[in-house]
Amino acid sequence: MSLKHLLSLVEIFKQKDVSLVSLSDKVDTSTPQGKLIFHIFSAIAEFERDLIRERTKAGLAATRARGRQGGRPKGL
């Protein structure tokens, strides 16, 4: 799920007068502070996902450069 998709879901919820509340993280999207924290967490999560994707691609490229095939084995 992308940040754009997540924010569009939050907007749909807002139109239906539904708020997201995380009890463990103390985030409530019905308040301005909760919205800010939610957006920050969402942006950080998307950033981390992009970093993982880059590292995985770099690792597979390095493996191929050493003459080995990375990734999942082919099926039977």
Side-chain angles (χ1 to χ4, degrees):
M1 178 183 295
S2 69
L3 178 60
K4 181 178 176 182
H5 185 245
L6 184 62
L7 295 178
S8 70
L9 282 175
V10 170
E11 187 60 34
I12 290 169
F13 291 158
K14 182 179 172 186
Q15 291 171 356
K16 296 180 185 228
D17 202 28
V18 174
S19 297
L20 297 174
V21 178
S22 172
L23 301 177
S24 61
D25 297 323
K26 308 276 194 276
V27 175
D28 181 358
T29 60
S30 66
T31 67
Q33 297 87 353
K35 287 181 202 173
L36 174 66
I37 295 299
F38 181 77
H39 285 261
I40 290 171
F41 285 173
S42 301
I44 291 171
E46 184 176 40
F47 173 71
E48 183 64 27
R49 188 182 70 209
D50 290 342
L51 283 179
I52 291 169
R53 184 179 301 128
E54 283 180 7
R55 290 181 194 137
T56 301
K57 286 182 182 180
L60 289 172
T63 301
R64 283 189 207 105
R66 289 190 301 260
R68 296 179 47 194
Q69 182 66 28
R72 190 153 71 177
K74 299 228 187 278
L76 297 174

